[in-house]
Amino acid sequence: MPTIDEPTIVHATKPRLRGWLHLGMAPVMLIVGIVFTIFAPTVEGRIGCGIYTLTAVQLFGTSAAYHRGNWSPKALAVFRRLDHANIFVFIAGSYTPLTLTLLTGTSRWSLLILIWSIAVLGVAFRIAWLSAPRWLYTLLYIAMGWAAVGWMGQFWATGGAAVVVLLIAGGVVYSLGAVAYATKKPQLSLKWFGFHEVFHSCTIIAAVLHAIAIGIAVF
């Protein structure tokens, strides 16, 4: 993403596809999330899918607005805080329906408390320290995304192999996208498709894999 040098941000030339990928993904996630929420067979499933839908639309919608708009320095700083903070919220939101439908008792609450506590701390971190090193908050995203590895055995036992395979595959794709974001590579086309579009493409692919996993788990 752009640096904290706000005048540079405002006048920087963005690839023409900047923001369009997430703009297209936002309504898709809204529709899928609404379907999941309405037709989930359990109360836990409906609550989890409702939370998931809100976090997904918030992530992709805010990202689209941030990257497509030509904002003033003050507005850009606000959008950047929201965009970065939303990643923590979406990770927690993605785990929520899986946790509510596949886990019970202490396991359920321990994972929910863990991921949402990290999300709250992550939001506070990105809002308070906007100029934090790119590598630092990227590592935090990756670490949070893999925080539920200890519960994968229970996900497998309750949801089946497909759920776990899809979660791991999505995690790998998210991690590859994070590497592209942190290193600013590959820069495929400065005019159309830069490293940031690679990052956004990875988030979309991974989100689709995780949405399928959530669908399998809930239904």
Side-chain angles (χ1 to χ4, degrees), residues 191-206:
K191 183 178 181 180
W192 289 97
F193 204 91
F195 79 92
H196 211 104
E197 284 62 56
V198 173
F199 167 55
H200 281 187
S201 296
C202 287
T203 64
I204 290 172
I205 294 169

Side-chain angles (χ1 to χ4, degrees), residues 8-219:
T8 301
I9 294 174
V10 173
H11 299 293
T13 300
K14 296 183 288 189
R16 293 184 180 179
L17 287 177
R18 180 65 52 87
W20 284 110
L21 298 175
H22 280 186
L23 181 62
M25 190 63 175
V28 172
M29 294 304 292
L30 176 61
I31 294 169
V32 170
I34 289 175
V35 171
F36 281 6
T37 303
I38 291 174
F39 294 103
T42 65
V43 173
E44 293 86 354
R46 289 191 289 274
I47 292 172
C49 288
I51 293 171
Y52 166 69
T53 303
L54 290 174
T55 60
V57 174
Q58 176 177 280
L59 175 82
F60 290 107
T62 301
S63 175
Y66 169 45
H67 291 101
R68 286 306 310 154
N70 293 312
W71 306 103
S72 68
K74 286 186 178 181
L76 198 62
V78 171
F79 267 113
R80 189 171 185 228
R81 284 183 169 89
L82 292 174
D83 183 56
H84 289 196
N86 280 343
I87 296 175
F88 289 108
V89 176
F90 180 54
I91 294 171
S94 297
Y95 272 124
T96 297
L98 295 165
T99 304
L100 288 176
T101 56
L102 299 181
L103 302 180
T104 58
T106 303
S107 293
R108 172 188 288 178
W109 289 109
S110 59
L111 181 52
L112 282 175
I113 291 171
L114 174 65
I115 58 174
W116 281 104
S117 295
I118 297 173
V120 170
L121 292 173
V123 169
F125 163 71
R126 287 309 293 140
I127 290 176
W129 191 9
L130 186 59
S131 59
R134 178 184 293 258
W135 63 266
L136 177 58
Y137 57 82
T138 302
L139 283 177
L140 292 176
Y141 294 143
I142 295 174
M144 182 184 177
W146 289 102
V149 167
W151 286 264
M152 287 298 175
Q154 294 178 67
F155 285 165
W156 184 297
T158 310
V163 170
V164 174
V165 170
L166 287 165
L167 287 177
I168 293 174
V172 170
V173 176
Y174 272 131
S175 298
L176 292 174
V179 171
Y181 173 74
T183 62
K184 300 185 179 181
K185 295 178 181 179
Q187 194 73 268
L188 300 181
S189 170
L190 292 175
K191 183 178 181 180
W192 289 97
F193 204 91
F195 79 92
H196 211 104
E197 284 62 56
V198 173
F199 167 55
H200 281 187
S201 296
C202 287
T203 64
I204 290 172
I205 294 169
V208 169
L209 292 172
H210 282 182
I212 296 172
I214 290 168
I216 294 172
V218 170
F219 295 98

